[in-house]
Amino acid sequence: MARLFGTDGVRGVAGRDLTAELAMDLSVAAAHVLGDAGAFAATGRRPVAVVGRDPRASGEFLEAAVVAGLAASGVDVLRLGVLPTPAVAHLTAALGADLGVMLSASHNPAPDNGIKFLARGGFKLSDVVEDEIERRLGEEWSFPVGSGVGRVRDAYGEADRYISHVLTTMSAALDGLNIVVDCAHGAAHMVAPEALVRAGARVEAIGARPDGLNINAGYGSTHLDKLQQVVISRGADLGVAYDGDADRCLAVDHTGSIIDGDHIMAILAAAMHGEGLLAKDTVVATVMSNLGFKLAMRDAGITVVETAVGDRYVLERMKSDGFNLGGEQSGHVIMLDHATTGDGLLTSLHLLGVMAKSGVPLKELAAVMTPLPQILINVKDVDKGKSSVPELVAAVAEAEAELGETGRVLIRPSGTEPMIRVMVEAASEEHATQVAGRLADVVRTACV
């Protein structure tokens, strides 16, 4: 039976895969696993949960189901309204809540939605805890009655607590910077423009009119065309783009060139390293980060530690080894001194802060790294369990010898589909394409 929890909570088409019944059952199980439901009777203290969502229309009925499940289990609930995932994570910690819930499907289209649970302190759950919640779905519970039921109240004003927090992490005002911010018609449509203005920037917001159905539609970090056009037409210094729940950030410079997560991490790592703020002179990245990023960090005297793909694995390594900066090429950047998860707004503020302090345009800052051409081929309808068969291992070894130190190969089975991903980096796009094509052919014949 397939695992219900994916790499970032439980996701699916709302109303079909992710139903109100499932949302309520998950919240009841989570209340017992994370909130120690029943503590009110034992200690006189009722558990507390905070619940936030992005603007998807389905978030309205899913929020109602989650809140009902939590309150019925004896958990007091604070409804935060529409806020980014990192804001919910911050408020879980700042308000002393026992658990947090975020309803979002991130960069996915509007019909999808998802449920992410956060533990005390605002951290994402480990696989072990998620498995425990899933195991206890449908368990027979004894629900409280009378004074034992949870109480529900709105806490929409707590958005300002989050904005104030991210602003206190900055060491430079953004006076004079002219920026365009793309909110993806998502969860950051109010807090991001306000925070950037309060930081001193001149701001034009696009993708900031959610109607419940237009989230990520042609806007946001997965659709940068509109942002590029507006930055160039307005003569702005740069543009920043978030995804639907604003836990990631990408940027474009004044010429419209895309600045991805690797570039952003390189800029922040170099700046923090120069100020003595980069813990252990190390940045944590996934195996998908460009080799150019790793070479740039090596030249800057910064160590790169690699993890599996997924910001949760980056965070786990950062917490276990005491690192304070990490992230993914996709724009999930974790600044552990200030946040418990990837935070698009926080990332953009610190990126802008480097620009403001240095007086250097983003295009020049991004030149700290030169990305190598990267070719990714998704080979579908194969047996992903055969990604280590001898024929493929031999072909990879031959390719790696051919590429030498100026390239690399990564073979990765998909976590959710019958597919093997072939990624090749090389000094030229032509060479990378040739090598990736040969390896993809081997996968097609050897992994069936």
Side-chain angles (χ1 to χ4, degrees), residues 375-409:
I375 300 297
L376 176 65
I377 299 178
N378 293 322
V379 185
K380 299 181 179 180
D381 300 320
V382 294
D383 185 347
K384 63 183 181 181
K386 294 185 177 181
S387 60
S388 299
V389 295
E391 300 97 312
L392 184 54
V393 171
V396 169
E398 180 180 343
E400 289 176 335
E402 177 183 333
L403 293 168
E405 293 185 357
T406 60
R408 68 179 182 126
V409 174

Side-chain angles (χ1 to χ4, degrees), residues 60-95:
E60 298 168 1
F61 82 76
L62 289 173
E63 178 191 58
V66 166
V67 169
L70 292 170
S73 301
V75 178
D76 287 341
V77 181
L78 301 178
R79 283 192 299 215
L80 301 175
V82 174
L83 277 181
T85 291
V88 176
H90 172 71
L91 292 170
T92 300
L95 298 175

Side-chain angles (χ1 to χ4, degrees), residues 154-402:
D154 295 331
Y156 302 143
E158 295 296 345
D160 190 68
R161 187 191 297 261
Y162 166 68
I163 294 173
S164 298
H165 162 69
V166 294
L167 291 175
T168 61
T169 71
M170 300 182 65
S171 58
L174 306 183
D175 298 344
L177 282 178
N178 182 17
I179 72 169
V180 180
V181 55
D182 183 347
C183 300
H185 295 307
H189 74 280
M190 292 183 64
V191 297
E194 180 177 345
L196 291 163
V197 168
R198 283 167 58 175
R202 294 192 299 272
V203 179
E204 177 174 348
I206 64 175
R209 295 182 177 180
D211 62 11
L213 301 175
N214 61 356
I215 190 168
N216 300 312
Y219 287 85
S221 61
T222 54
H223 303 279
L224 294 173
D225 293 357
K226 178 70 73 174
L227 180 62
Q228 291 170 306
Q229 293 168 9
V230 176
V231 166
I232 293 171
S233 66
R234 300 292 193 272
D237 295 310
L238 77 158
V240 295
Y242 312 114
D243 62 339
D245 71 335
D247 65 351
R248 72 172 77 177
C249 167
L250 295 180
V252 301
D253 66 26
H254 71 283
T255 71
S257 296
I258 295 173
I259 310 299
D260 68 13
D262 284 345
H263 282 100
I264 293 172
M265 283 195 295
I267 293 167
L268 294 179
M272 293 170 65
H273 180 64
E275 296 179 10
L277 300 176
L278 186 63
K280 302 183 181 180
D281 297 319
T282 297
V283 61
V284 182
T286 76
V287 293
M288 289 300 289
S289 276
N290 194 279
L291 180 58
F293 166 76
K294 296 162 190 174
L295 295 175
M297 294 296 92
R298 182 194 66 187
D299 293 344
I302 297 171
T303 300
V304 176
V305 172
E306 288 188 345
T307 74
V309 175
D311 61 315
R312 63 190 298 175
Y313 302 114
V314 172
L315 177 59
E316 287 173 5
R317 187 63 182 270
M318 292 172 68
K319 289 170 61 179
S320 65
D321 290 6
F323 304 129
N324 63 351
L325 180 66
E328 297 186 287
Q329 191 180 61
S330 60
H332 285 114
V333 177
I334 303 171
M335 306 186 75
L336 200 51
D337 290 337
H338 310 302
T340 59
T341 186
D343 188 328
L345 175 57
L346 180 73
T347 299
S348 61
L349 286 169
H350 281 259
L351 178 65
L352 292 161
V354 174
M355 291 178 62
K357 290 177 72 172
S358 66
V360 177
L362 182 57
K363 190 173 186 67
E364 292 183 32
L365 290 173
V368 68
M369 69 164 279
T370 302
L372 295 182
Q374 186 180 80
I375 300 297
L376 176 65
I377 299 178
N378 293 322
V379 185
K380 299 181 179 180
D381 300 320
V382 294
D383 185 347
K384 63 183 181 181
K386 294 185 177 181
S387 60
S388 299
V389 295
E391 300 97 312
L392 184 54
V393 171
V396 169
E398 180 180 343
E400 289 176 335
E402 177 183 333

Side-chain angles (χ1 to χ4, degrees), residues 24-201:
M24 183 178 292
D25 288 346
L26 280 166
S27 65
V28 171
H32 287 79
V33 174
L34 298 173
D36 189 20
F40 177 57
T43 67
R45 188 189 74 84
R46 210 165 16 218
V48 176
V50 296
V51 178
R53 63 181 180 89
D54 71 22
R56 291 166 210 266
S58 61
E60 298 168 1
F61 82 76
L62 289 173
E63 178 191 58
V66 166
V67 169
L70 292 170
S73 301
V75 178
D76 287 341
V77 181
L78 301 178
R79 283 192 299 215
L80 301 175
V82 174
L83 277 181
T85 291
V88 176
H90 172 71
L91 292 170
T92 300
L95 298 175
D98 296 283
L99 69 151
V101 187
M102 178 66 187
L103 299 165
S104 176
S106 188
H107 59 281
N108 287 19
D112 293 350
N113 215 323
I115 301 178
K116 288 186 271 195
F117 293 103
L118 301 161
R120 293 181 184 92
F123 289 101
K124 289 186 177 181
L125 307 186
S126 66
D127 290 343
V128 172
V129 176
E130 287 182 342
D131 288 342
E132 176 66 6
I133 292 173
E134 188 167 339
R135 186 184 68 80
R136 301 188 72 181
L137 274 176
E139 189 171 317
E140 291 293 329
W141 305 108
S142 176
F143 290 95
V145 297
S147 62
V149 302
R151 305 303 299 271
V152 181
R153 67 181 178 88
D154 295 331
Y156 302 143
E158 295 296 345
D160 190 68
R161 187 191 297 261
Y162 166 68
I163 294 173
S164 298
H165 162 69
V166 294
L167 291 175
T168 61
T169 71
M170 300 182 65
S171 58
L174 306 183
D175 298 344
L177 282 178
N178 182 17
I179 72 169
V180 180
V181 55
D182 183 347
C183 300
H185 295 307
H189 74 280
M190 292 183 64
V191 297
E194 180 177 345
L196 291 163
V197 168
R198 283 167 58 175

